[in-house]
Amino acid sequence: MLSAFDKYTIHPGMSSGGSTVRIGELSKRTGVAVPTIKYYLREGMLPPGELTSPNQARYDETHVHRLRLVRALIDVGGLPVATVKEVLTSVDSPSDDIEKLLGTVQHALFPGPPPSSAATQAAAEDEVRALIGELGWYCRDNHPAVSALATVLVSARALGHSEFLDTVRRYVTVAEQIGVVDLDYIVDRLGVDGMVESVVVGTVLGDTALIALRRLAQVSESAKRFPDRRRPAAPA
Amino acid sequence: MLSAFDKYTIHPGMSSGGSTVRIGELSKRTGVAVPTIKYYLREGMLPPGELTSPNQARYDETHVHRLRLVRALIDVGGLPVATVKEVLTSVDSPSDDIEKLLGTVQHALFPGPPPSSAATQAAAEDEVRALIGELGWYCRDNHPAVSALATVLVSARALGHSEFLDTVRRYVTVAEQIGVVDLDYIVDRLGVDGMVESVVVGTVLGDTALIALRRLAQVSESAKRFPDRRRPAAPA
């Protein structure tokens, strides 16, 4: 269990030789309850502290940071604990292959595709791959986003929303801009802390930020188009 | 319990006087197991069928459609059953006030803000409101996206990612384009089926589609910038 932390990165500005605290103080500083911290320790999500007596351990800034990361993934990202553990395994295994890294983190952060007729789903995945090819995007065939997007198409059609594919096509231009912003962020953060952590934090916080901004933009756009707050008239 | 369905909309092209099926056939057509269908009936998420004998009911196309909607919200949207019930209440209470409708659906579709220091959270919410004002966006003060976005800022800072605010600012332009695409979709669908359903379907499928496209765009952008698949060099 401990071996996963052999490569645990000490973030610049965080001295492991600095002041250390007991678990109660760690709880106070992070707002995470002591029993929860003990659970994370047992599950290997938090590296063990330095034992100062058989029943006492002391924790440092790396523990404070790790707890904040865990809580951000759970509270902001809404990730289940099992997924958090998987993501942390990536964080603890630094890689210098950015594409592989994106793949690992994205796999962990994507829910599995829901059950649906294998044939319908496979056909929709072919459609998504064709769209990716048409766009000149690069993507491995088995990327989880391919099946997620295929599931969206299958569901939209089953609900009689076939035109939703047009909306997806219009989202493409938008997504390309998001990709540029995201890679800029990862590159800008190089040297500040681990690239893996930037990918994880950027992905999880970014998802939530984008969804929140989408909601606000919808309300704003609606207020702009229909200032009298009434239902728009159906097209003739 | 039944009263919630008094206003249940028969979608155009779905005749309630058309052919009806037993629960087994309903299950076969939608891929939803019979016990699950019975659960949805008990919970009021699916309107009751037409009784043909004390123990037999028959179901029509409105039931097929409703089951597909429920499964899309759960499988594609990843929503918990309690949230699905809340969203369905909106679907069953048609409103002609698009802004109120967006608000209701968005409230149901947003997870509550995680616990965090009330003062820090409140300060971040003020910051978000200032950003919204600066953008000339329209938004009610208590919109759930405001606290979601504030939570992102609080978490980013706690993790030493203060620059993430710059990323959020760059997402704004992108979000404005998404808002336009989304409102176009809702307006285009008017007259096809209930506006509420278009908002729900567009919101849930759209979230998943955007997140999937974001992942694909990141991989593509990364492959474009670093064609040798190696880690980008840290800036000097």
Side-chain angles (χ1 to χ4, degrees):
Chain A
M1 190 64 97
L2 294 193
S3 66
F5 296 107
D6 288 351
K7 302 177 189 168
Y8 190 72
T9 315
I10 303 296
H11 295 270
M14 292 180 187
S15 161
S16 61
S19 68
T20 59
V21 295
R22 291 201 191 161
I23 197 163
E25 176 68 17
L26 183 62
S27 163
K28 221 165 122 186
R29 280 197 51 198
T30 57
V32 180
V34 171
T36 307
I37 295 177
K38 288 186 174 166
Y39 170 75
Y40 294 156
L41 286 165
R42 280 198 307 277
E43 291 291 313
M45 294 159 72
L46 189 67
E50 196 188 341
L51 283 180
T52 51
S53 81
N55 296 314
Q56 282 269 357
R58 297 192 66 93
Y59 302 89
D60 60 25
E61 289 303 318
T62 60
H63 295 92
V64 172
H65 186 84
R66 170 60 73 115
L67 275 177
R68 284 180 177 152
L69 179 61
V70 169
R71 294 315 305 182
L73 295 173
I74 292 174
D75 293 333
V76 184
L79 302 184
V81 169
T83 306
V84 172
K85 283 178 74 171
E86 210 178 319
V87 170
L88 291 177
T89 306
S90 307
V91 172
D92 293 326
S93 320
S95 157
D96 64 352
D97 181 333
I98 189 170
E99 190 191 317
K100 197 171 147 225
L101 173 62
L102 275 172
T104 312
V105 173
Q106 292 182 350
H107 262 277
L109 291 179
F110 240 104
S116 96
S117 148
T120 318
Q121 177 73 20
E125 288 183 9
D126 284 343
E127 225 178 313
V128 171
R129 281 187 209 100
L131 174 67
I132 291 170
E134 195 185 303
L135 294 168
W137 280 10
Y138 168 83
C139 175
R140 278 170 303 110
D141 271 2
N142 65 345
H143 193 286
V146 172
S147 57
L149 211 45
T151 305
V152 167
L153 299 188
V154 171
S155 293
R157 281 175 190 143
L159 289 167
H161 284 245
S162 313
E163 323 88 300
F164 195 72
L165 180 57
D166 301 331
T167 291
V168 171
R169 287 183 173 276
R170 291 182 69 188
Y171 281 161
V172 163
T173 329
V174 167
E176 282 176 342
Q177 299 169 58
I178 297 173
V180 170
V181 173
D182 288 344
L183 264 289
D184 282 352
Y185 189 71
I186 293 169
V187 171
D188 283 352
R189 292 281 303 182
L190 290 172
V192 179
D193 61 7
M195 181 167 66
V196 195
E197 185 174 308
S198 292
V199 170
V200 169
V201 170
T203 300
V204 172
L205 297 188
D207 281 353
T208 305
L210 276 169
I211 297 305
L213 288 170
R214 179 186 182 214
R215 301 284 189 277
L216 293 173
Q218 286 175 345
V219 173
S220 259
E221 180 65 20
S222 163
K224 201 198 285 177
R225 292 196 195 193
F226 313 111
D228 59 355
R229 304 185 50 164
R230 299 296 295 170
R231 178 195 176 126
Chain B
M1 189 66 98
L2 295 192
S3 66
F5 296 108
D6 287 352
K7 302 176 191 168
Y8 191 72
T9 315
I10 303 296
H11 296 271
M14 291 180 188
S15 160
S16 62
S19 69
T20 58
V21 296
R22 289 199 194 163
I23 197 164
E25 176 68 18
L26 183 63
S27 164
K28 223 166 121 186
R29 281 196 53 197
T30 57
V32 181
V34 171
T36 307
I37 295 178
K38 287 186 175 167
Y39 170 76
Y40 294 156
L41 286 165
R42 280 198 308 276
E43 290 291 315
M45 295 160 71
L46 188 67
E50 195 189 341
L51 283 180
T52 51
S53 81
N55 296 314
Q56 283 270 355
R58 297 192 66 91
Y59 302 89
D60 60 26
E61 290 302 320
T62 60
H63 295 91
V64 172
H65 186 85
R66 170 60 71 116
L67 275 176
R68 286 180 176 151
L69 179 61
V70 169
R71 294 315 304 182
L73 295 173
I74 292 174
D75 293 333
V76 184
L79 303 184
V81 170
T83 307
V84 172
K85 283 177 73 170
E86 209 178 320
V87 170
L88 291 177
T89 307
S90 307
V91 171
D92 294 326
S93 319
S95 158
D96 64 352
D97 182 332
I98 189 169
E99 190 191 315
K100 197 173 146 223
L101 174 61
L102 276 172
T104 311
V105 173
Q106 292 181 351
H107 262 277
L109 291 179
F110 240 104
S116 96
S117 147
T120 318
Q121 176 74 18
E125 287 183 11
D126 284 343
E127 225 178 311
V128 171
R129 280 187 210 102
L131 174 67
I132 292 170
E134 195 185 304
L135 294 169
W137 280 11
Y138 168 81
C139 176
R140 278 170 304 111
D141 271 0
N142 65 345
H143 193 286
V146 171
S147 57
L149 211 46
T151 305
V152 167
L153 299 188
V154 170
S155 292
R157 281 174 189 142
L159 289 166
H161 284 246
S162 312
E163 324 88 302
F164 196 72
L165 181 57
D166 301 332
T167 290
V168 170
R169 286 183 174 275
R170 291 182 67 190
Y171 281 161
V172 162
T173 330
V174 168
E176 282 177 341
Q177 298 170 59
I178 298 172
V180 171
V181 173
D182 289 344
L183 264 287
D184 282 353
Y185 190 70
I186 293 168
V187 171
D188 283 352
R189 292 281 303 181
L190 289 174
V192 179
D193 59 10
M195 180 166 68
V196 194
E197 185 175 309
S198 292
V199 170
V200 169
V201 170
T203 300
V204 172
L205 296 189
D207 281 353
T208 304
L210 276 169
I211 296 306
L213 287 170
R214 179 186 182 214
R215 302 282 190 277
L216 293 174
Q218 286 175 345
V219 172
S220 259
E221 180 66 20
S222 163
K224 201 197 284 177
R225 293 195 194 192
F226 314 111
D228 59 355
R229 303 183 51 162
R230 300 295 295 169
R231 178 195 176 126

